[in-house]
Amino acid sequence: MVEFDGVGLRYGPDAEVLSDISFNLQPGSFYFLTGASGAGKTSLLKMLYLAQRPSRGIVRLFGEDLVSMPRQRLPGFRRRIGVVFQDFRLIPHLSARDNIALPLRIAGVGEDDLSGPVGEMLSWIGLGDRAEAHPATLSGGEQQRVAIARAVIARPQLLVADEPTGNVDPEMATRLLGLFEALNRLGTTVVVATHDIHLISRIENAQMMRLEKGRLADPTGALRYPPANRA
Amino acid sequence: MIIPRVPVQHRRLLPDRRLSGPTPWVIAILMMLTLLAAAAGVGLARSANAIGSAIAGRVTVQIVTPNPVTRAEQAAALRRAAAAQPFVLSARAVDREELQATLGQWFGSETNGEGGDDPVLNSLPLPALVDIDFVGENRRRHMQELRALVAAEAPGARIIPHAEWLGPVAQLIGSLAWIAGALVILMTLASAAVVIMTARAALGTHFATIEMLHLIGATDRQITRLFQRRIAIDTAYGIALGTAVAAALLLLIGWQWAGVTSGLAATASLGPGGWALLLALPLLAIALAALTARQTLLAALKKIL
Ligand SMILES: Nc1ncnc2c1ncn2[C@@H]1O[C@H](COP(=O)(O)OP(=O)(O)OP(=O)(O)O)[C@@H](O)[C@H]1O
Ligand SMILES: [Mg+2]
């Protein structure tokens, strides 16, 4: 599904913020990515959702080498990935409804086919009555829910979430995690970066990846050579 | 293609207000100046050509024989002989009244209407003039033949080719036409620069939106169409406004010109080709703006992963 081999990343001429990252994500699995603030979680996820090419090493996604992939093939891959950004990145002049519908519209889904799913998603995240509200008029937690809805609306094969529960109350956090779990059961591979240890214990069979100062702690080698791969 | 089709729901991705305030106005001013320069260029080029071809093959023979009777006879004989030559298109003796009328303007006499009752003017020993137009282009040869003819019919007469004294005027007008043409090209480049700056500014303003669109899988083409549509519409407004003002000015100038100098008006008109060019310019400008915007946008998007 996703394969990193000896990946390093540096921003400009500075020292590498990520070094020697190697792992193998299994299709349909659930991963938590933890680490102290500044350890490089967001940087790693950026390479995962194709916002950043690595400085060195190999990144393979859906079986294809991304480092040498020509630019014009990237949109096709990005449409198979859902992203929840740490800072939401909702489009400020679009309503909650239009923000959520965006991935479907970009993918060319007709208006008749998308109004149903978008409406359902809105009521599921508890914002049915705020559908026409603009992000600036929503609370932080509400914006976060819209961002999550936008990430999952197109049923991505890979869901990448950066601190998706940082701004919601514990109850809503559980609910959103339930959504990720449901998607995961339908086959979506999920990667969630979080500081929240309690969250991690809530998902059975979830695997944990831990970043320490730009390096992946993987003492057992299970991330690099998962049991399914070793067989 | 020029103004791309973008689904209504996608249009909302760009906020509704105009992309960048002054662009349509700057484009309008540039378009107006371009059209005026183009009209001036076409008009000047046409009058330079008209003057050039009117004077190229024309000479005036000036007969200054002192005896007025002999002078008139020589003039008549020369006119007849010249008219019979195969290289002469037409030969015409200039009337004494016509000469007096022209000179009267210089002397300040009231010759128009009443005729030559000015004693000074009447007493002047005016030369007899014969205007001759040559056939074809071979001027040098025709001049030799004419010189022989004049020596036989009116010895001592002077031959004055018009090209010698009107030529520089035609050349000057021709240069002005070239300058007008150069101005059209420069203003077209300036308009393209304005469009490029507008496109870059739009990309800067909406960078966060563009980045977001990229990350959810929008193609460069989708994003470009969105911006190209808005820029094309903005510049089309400017071009329409500039064209309307230029058209009004040209009609006004044409109307005044016709009233002032009916004689020259014909040489300074634009002609069907000129009007077609002026009509084509705004359409070309819209196409150029759209293509410029498109190329700028695609080039800028390539720099983002
Ligand atoms: N665009 C950038 N340019 C230069 N340096 C960057 C950039 N983005 C991140 N960094 C640096 O890379 C390191 C890792 O940052 P990153 O955002 O990946 O950390 P993080 O683990 O997501 O932290 P947090 O938990 O606070 O979100 C930091 O030292 C940061 O300063
Ligand atoms: Mg982060």
Side-chain angles (χ1 to χ4, degrees), chain A residues 145-209:
Chain A
R145 282 180 266 162
V146 173
I148 290 170
R150 180 182 63 185
V152 301
I153 187 80
R155 291 281 186 88
Q157 284 169 262
L158 173 65
L159 177 70
V160 179
D162 199 350
E163 296 285 354
T165 55
N167 289 277
V168 295
D169 55 70
E171 200 180 325
M172 183 47 86
T174 311
R175 213 168 130 77
L176 291 175
L177 207 63
L179 171 64
F180 292 166
E181 209 180 357
L183 274 167
N184 179 238
R185 256 187 247 114
L186 290 172
T188 299
T189 309
V190 181
V191 181
V192 177
T194 184
H195 294 289
D196 189 347
I197 311 293
H198 302 290
L199 218 56
I200 298 173
S201 59
R202 292 233 176 83
I203 307 272
E204 285 175 60
N205 302 325
Q207 296 189 56
M208 199 172 84
M209 303 161 76

Side-chain angles (χ1 to χ4, degrees), chain A residues 16 19 21-22 24 27 35 44-46 50 54 63 67 74 79 95 121 137 146-147 161 175-176 209 215 226:
Chain A
E16 285 190 331
S19 304
I21 305 287
S22 300
N24 215 320
L44 197 155
L45 294 187
K46 270 187 183 168
L50 312 187
V67 179
L74 294 178
R79 288 180 193 186
S95 65
M121 185 61 77
T137 66
V146 173
R175 213 168 130 77
L176 291 175
M209 303 161 76
R215 287 175 187 271

